[in-house]
Amino acid sequence: MTGKATELIDHGYRAPEGFESPAVPVHKASTVFFRDVAHLRSQRWVDKSGYTYGLHGTPTSFMLEQRLATLEGARHVLLAPSGLSAITLVDQALLAPGDEMLLPDNVYAPSLNFARHELARWGITTRLYDPLDVASLRAAINPATRLLWLEAPGSVTLEFPDLRALVRTAREAGRPDLVLALDNTWGAGVAFNAFELGEGLAVDLTVHALTKYPSGGGDLLMGSVATRNDALHETLAWTHSRLGLGVGANDVEAVLRSLPSMPLRYAAQDAAARRIAQWCTQRSEIERVLHPALPGAPGHEHWAALCSAAAGLLTLEFKVAHTPQQVDAFVDALRRFRIGWSWGGPISLAVPYDAASMRSLGTPYLGRLVRLCIGLEDVDDLIEDLGQALGVLAGDAR
Ligand SMILES: *Cc1c(COP(=O)(O)O)cnc(C)c1O
């Protein structure tokens, strides 16, 4: 007689025949069973022709990878536990001692921290270039440069670079071993196609913090690396497996569930952010509104030449007359906007920044910065909230 414990484990469950639903089943696994030893030896996860171990993918994670490839116009996608880990995966897969990496001066700051504190220990040099000055990129490329990071627009200050000119300049260096990587979190595969920038130009890979728009909930962390290049994908995939980067099936399912509404959310948050940006330009407390779709904002013409949409982010530069304490008091006075990192979720967020501490090549921003990420609330309520909090600021200034 079979024991109870064995019966509970070796039961006869199979997915019901003829059952179809919109949801992708949540396949969870560490162990994956093989029919026999020959089957075990024949399975290859790296080209997704089979399953080997939960860490290397399940039908659920393979499905998300395929849908993200469709979103970004790529052929291959790898999932990582966070947007940051997707960035550091690329760095670790492509760089060796003696190599150099180039980052824009307005790069997502944790990417620079990884370079300064980890890559530096491994003998990898990081140089910064001014993303709004193509000549500064040209001057930074040298025979040791192996990886160029691009970001459009830059983090927090949202300057939109001339992406085509930067890509063309890097290609003109005539270095087939120089990989062009774009942090595409802001564009999200919606605002522009990084693999078809026009004029025959493309980046080699994109990284996307799925934590932001694809999740849309402010409740999970995930990242992806996408490419059209088979050999590059294989290099990334082997490092990915050696680093042991895995994602949880429930989180993958949550992203799969949110993905169909992403273009609609992106459009709604775009429209709301533009209205709020416009409203902010009328306020006397504010020196400048940084939002690439706003005429006059840094790189606006480059945004207009490339993009059909913008993410729901804007940054306010306050007049220098307003002290950091007053600007903090403005942020503290907000009621609907919550104070917190990240973006892309339903709740609007605000974070104050000190521009001077964020740049190595100098900053044109003299006033205190506050980055706003616009959620899905009614825009009038958000504007009312900004108005009352600016009233607190003005009161303090008197
Ligand atoms: C948020 C973000 C990341 C990192 O994503 P996490 O999932 O929070 O690690 C990377 N790049 C950009 C531009 C981001 O905004």
Side-chain angles (χ1 to χ4, degrees):
M1 209 182 95
T2 318
K4 196 98 217 144
T6 307
E7 272 183 3
L8 280 173
I9 293 163
D10 192 12
H11 57 80
Y13 174 81
R14 297 288 176 273
E17 272 293 317
F19 175 76
E20 272 190 282
S21 84
V24 177
V26 182
H27 292 286
K28 307 181 80 157
S30 49
T31 299
V32 174
F33 298 135
F34 302 97
R35 279 190 305 279
D36 50 32
V37 174
H39 184 219
L40 179 147
R41 294 206 174 118
S42 73
Q43 293 296 288
R44 264 178 67 83
W45 65 272
V46 88
D47 59 10
K48 307 207 191 307
S49 63
Y51 303 99
T52 55
Y53 189 54
L55 189 57
H56 306 315
T58 67
T60 312
S61 66
F62 281 9
M63 182 60 72
L64 179 56
E65 289 168 1
Q66 283 171 24
R67 292 190 183 172
L68 292 170
T70 302
L71 173 69
E72 297 220 40
R75 190 150 55 230
H76 308 284
V77 168
L78 292 163
L79 300 175
S82 65
L84 180 57
S85 68
I87 292 170
T88 65
L89 161 65
V90 172
D91 294 348
Q92 291 172 93
L94 301 180
L95 296 167
D99 288 346
E100 294 197 4
M101 174 169 82
L102 294 177
L103 297 180
D105 198 31
N106 55 8
V107 69
Y108 177 67
S111 174
L112 180 59
N113 287 337
F114 181 73
R116 289 202 167 140
H117 296 279
E118 307 300 331
L119 297 179
R121 290 193 291 118
W122 306 334
I124 295 160
T125 303
T126 301
R127 289 180 197 280
L128 296 166
Y129 67 94
D130 176 353
L132 294 183
D133 176 11
V134 176
S136 128
L137 173 66
R138 191 176 296 116
I141 297 176
N142 68 56
T145 315
R146 284 280 288 123
L147 179 58
L148 164 63
W149 277 102
L150 303 152
E151 213 175 307
S155 279
V156 183
T157 40
L158 303 172
E159 301 92 347
F160 208 97
D162 186 347
L163 201 54
R164 288 188 188 120
L166 293 175
V167 168
R168 188 181 303 108
T169 297
R171 297 298 185 206
E172 279 169 3
R175 295 270 315 285
D177 61 347
L178 172 59
V179 175
L180 275 55
L182 171 76
D183 184 329
N184 202 23
T185 304
W186 183 95
V190 175
F192 62 94
N193 183 343
F195 296 102
E196 283 171 29
L197 292 168
E199 300 166 25
L201 298 164
V203 301
D204 296 310
L205 68 87
T206 63
V207 156
H208 192 168
L210 308 178
T211 308
K212 309 287 168 54
Y213 285 114
S215 150
D219 56 355
L220 65 82
L221 290 150
M222 204 179 295
S224 61
V225 183
T227 181
R228 285 184 174 180
N229 181 317
D230 299 340
L232 181 58
H233 169 71
E234 189 135 338
T235 300
L236 293 162
W238 282 115
T239 299
H240 180 271
S241 83
R242 292 183 198 112
L243 287 171
L245 302 180
V247 292
N250 287 336
D251 285 348
V252 171
E253 190 265 346
V255 178
L256 279 166
R257 201 164 192 276
S258 295
L259 214 47
S261 66
M262 196 191 89
L264 281 177
R265 287 185 278 109
Y266 196 96
Q269 286 165 321
D270 178 0
R274 289 195 213 200
R275 243 192 86 197
I276 290 169
Q278 200 61 51
W279 183 86
C280 289
T281 60
Q282 309 300 314
R283 295 293 309 210
S284 60
E285 302 87 346
I286 295 167
E287 177 72 34
R288 208 162 11 168
V289 180
L290 304 171
H291 182 304
L294 211 57
H300 166 70
E301 63 281 12
H302 305 314
W303 171 84
L306 187 70
C307 295
S308 56
L313 290 175
L314 64 144
T315 296
L316 310 177
E317 183 192 7
F318 281 83
K319 294 227 162 104
V320 285
H322 296 299
T323 65
Q325 292 72 22
Q326 287 172 335
V327 174
D328 286 356
F330 157 76
V331 175
D332 279 334
L334 291 165
R335 295 187 194 125
R336 298 203 185 274
F337 284 84
R338 304 297 303 269
I339 301 168
W341 307 112
S342 206
W343 39 278
I347 298 175
S348 294
L349 301 171
V351 177
Y353 287 91
D354 167 24
S357 71
M358 291 163 54
R359 295 282 181 275
S360 305
L361 306 179
T363 173
Y365 310 108
L366 302 175
R368 202 70 172 176
L369 303 178
V370 174
R371 188 196 56 197
L372 302 177
C373 112
I374 307 305
L376 291 167
E377 302 92 339
D378 287 316
V379 186
D380 291 335
D381 292 332
L382 295 177
I383 288 176
E384 192 188 313
D385 192 27
L386 289 168
Q388 65 80 22
L390 286 170
V392 169
L393 177 97
D396 281 358
R398 250 176 254 130

